[in-house]
Amino acid sequence: MKRILFILCCLTSLGITIYLTYKTWEGFAEHSWYQNLIYLIAIVGWCFITEKVFNKKYKWTQKFFE
């Protein structure tokens, strides 16, 4: 059960990353450079979080496999 929850967490995190990338690409021409910069920083930050979830660097992800 814990493994399934961990896989769902990984898929959710990856899905949010893909959604953020899509919404940023979709609205890139509509927004100002400042808003685009904020979106890009958000994507990079979420990619960092997703990488840590996949590699089990958070304590709550490590507890799934104790």
Side-chain angles (χ1 to χ4, degrees):
M1 183 67 177
K2 288 182 180 182
R3 188 169 289 242
I4 292 171
L5 287 175
F6 179 72
I7 291 170
L8 287 176
C9 287
C10 289
L11 290 176
T12 302
S13 187
L14 185 63
I16 290 171
T17 304
I18 292 169
Y19 177 76
L20 278 174
T21 305
Y22 171 74
K23 290 307 264 182
T24 300
W25 183 263
E26 185 181 70
F28 208 77
E30 298 172 4
H31 301 296
S32 67
W33 67 271
Y34 183 72
Q35 289 173 324
N36 290 334
L37 182 64
I38 291 172
Y39 282 121
L40 290 174
I41 291 171
I43 290 172
V44 169
W46 196 260
C47 286
F48 184 70
I49 291 170
T50 302
E51 184 268 331
K52 282 191 165 199
V53 168
F54 281 150
N55 292 326
K56 301 177 199 104
K57 294 193 179 185
Y58 292 118
K59 288 185 181 183
W60 64 270
T61 57
Q62 293 170 356
K63 286 184 180 181
F64 278 123
F65 293 99
E66 286 182 345

